[in-house]
Amino acid sequence: MSERRVYLAIILFILAAVLAVTVFYAVRYMDFFAIDRITVTGMDQVPHSVSRILVSCHGLNRFRVDVDEMEEAVEDNPLVAQCIVKFSFPAHMEVALIPSDEKCLLSDGESYYLMDDGRPVELAGEDSATYAGEMCTLEVSKSLVEYMQRYGAPASFNQILDLVERVNETNSWLITRIKYDNNTTGGFGQIVLTLDPLNSRLYVRERVSAQRIGDSIRVIQASIEDDPAGSIGFGMRRWDLYSDALVRRDMEKDG
């Protein structure tokens, strides 16, 4: 190749590079590429904190949006397992959300949490009210939440969560409150199910199956149906469930 052709090739390369850079920066400021439509799929109800992030993109130039950063920000929400952001011409933002498969919230009396990678992650305040009313909620101590945030959830607690989820799935219409106490002796702790429609509390004192707990709830329900007058009082009937027995105790005084 002659020296003249080499110089010409270099000049053309420089001109092409300058043109590419000019176009790249020019389109970043063109109104034609301002995001005017955002569609979200994958979740019937988009968390408010996620909606706030997505809505903030409306009107921005699509080429000035850091997609990786946005996906990471959305995935920081424990209610979302994965976020995929794509664009269609000219400026339609398409967001696909994959929800977390966790079915049980944790509450320490002040905040709500969802397990994410083995640790409880706090829900944004704007999401708490919505999801606390729709998801099974397990009350735990603040010290347990802090422990799991630092060290991760032990296998025994994951088993408790699985047990609570399965019991609530089949008896949610009777269960109005679920509390877990991990400060009792032994490795299991204690699960307390409040059954307001039956004016009863069921204390699960030892490790049993979800079927065993469900059977016990049906026994309590049958006892109320056989003695409806007995459910009227100023306290809650207490029942203790062990691996080999269901024991009815005296009434618990309210307050």
Side-chain angles (χ1 to χ4, degrees), residues 38 99 102 170 245-246 249:
I38 302 172
E102 295 289 335
T170 56
L246 174 64
R249 305 297 187 185

Side-chain angles (χ1 to χ4, degrees), residues 9-236:
I10 293 175
I11 291 173
L12 290 175
F13 174 78
I14 293 173
L15 290 175
V18 170
L19 179 61
V21 171
T22 301
V23 171
F24 173 76
Y25 281 98
V27 297
R28 290 163 60 90
Y29 294 93
M30 293 176 62
D31 292 340
F32 182 70
F33 293 106
I35 299 172
D36 58 358
R37 189 155 60 103
I38 302 172
T39 58
V40 183
T41 58
M43 295 183 72
D44 295 333
Q45 181 170 273
V46 180
H48 295 297
S49 55
V50 172
S51 294
R52 179 165 42 81
I53 294 174
L54 300 180
V55 169
S56 68
C57 296
H58 193 274
L60 294 180
N61 187 292
R62 58 170 287 188
F63 294 104
R64 299 180 69 181
V65 174
D66 188 326
V67 173
D68 291 338
E69 183 178 303
M70 178 183 297
E71 290 177 343
E72 184 176 343
V74 172
E75 290 171 358
D76 282 342
N77 191 307
L79 293 163
V80 180
Q82 187 177 4
C83 172
I84 302 171
V85 177
K86 294 181 179 180
F87 288 97
S88 59
F89 188 84
H92 174 201
M93 188 168 79
E94 301 171 338
V95 182
L97 301 177
I98 298 177
S100 167
D101 58 4
E102 295 289 335
K103 297 180 176 62
C104 187
L105 290 177
L106 304 181
S107 172
D108 61 4
E110 297 178 1
S111 304
Y112 289 90
Y113 307 83
L114 196 65
M115 298 301 292
D116 188 7
D117 290 333
R119 285 177 164 78
V121 178
E122 185 175 351
L123 264 63
E126 55 196 314
D127 295 327
S128 295
T130 300
Y131 285 88
E134 295 182 355
M135 296 179 65
C136 169
T137 299
L138 177 63
E139 298 179 17
V140 296
S141 66
K142 193 170 186 63
S143 61
L144 178 59
V145 171
E146 293 172 347
Y147 174 88
M148 293 191 295
Q149 286 178 329
R150 184 172 182 178
Y151 301 107
S156 58
F157 184 76
N158 292 326
Q159 293 169 359
I160 292 292
L161 272 181
D162 180 65
L163 180 62
V164 166
E165 289 172 5
R166 285 187 288 144
V167 170
N168 186 76
E169 186 176 0
T170 56
N171 299 278
S172 60
W173 63 287
L174 288 174
I175 300 173
T176 51
R177 183 181 179 188
I178 310 176
K179 183 179 179 181
Y180 175 62
D181 178 11
N182 65 308
N183 296 320
T184 57
T185 58
F188 175 74
Q190 174 178 263
I191 299 173
V192 183
L193 304 175
T194 299
L195 311 168
D196 278 334
L198 305 179
N199 199 40
S200 301
R201 287 195 184 97
L202 175 62
Y203 290 73
V204 183
R205 307 298 297 273
E206 296 177 347
R207 190 176 302 281
V208 294
S209 67
Q211 180 66 46
R212 182 91 166 83
I213 296 175
D215 290 343
S216 298
I217 292 176
R218 282 186 283 276
V219 169
I220 296 172
Q221 185 177 7
S223 74
I224 296 298
E225 293 174 349
D226 291 341
D227 181 21
S231 65
I232 302 174
F234 297 98
M236 301 284 283

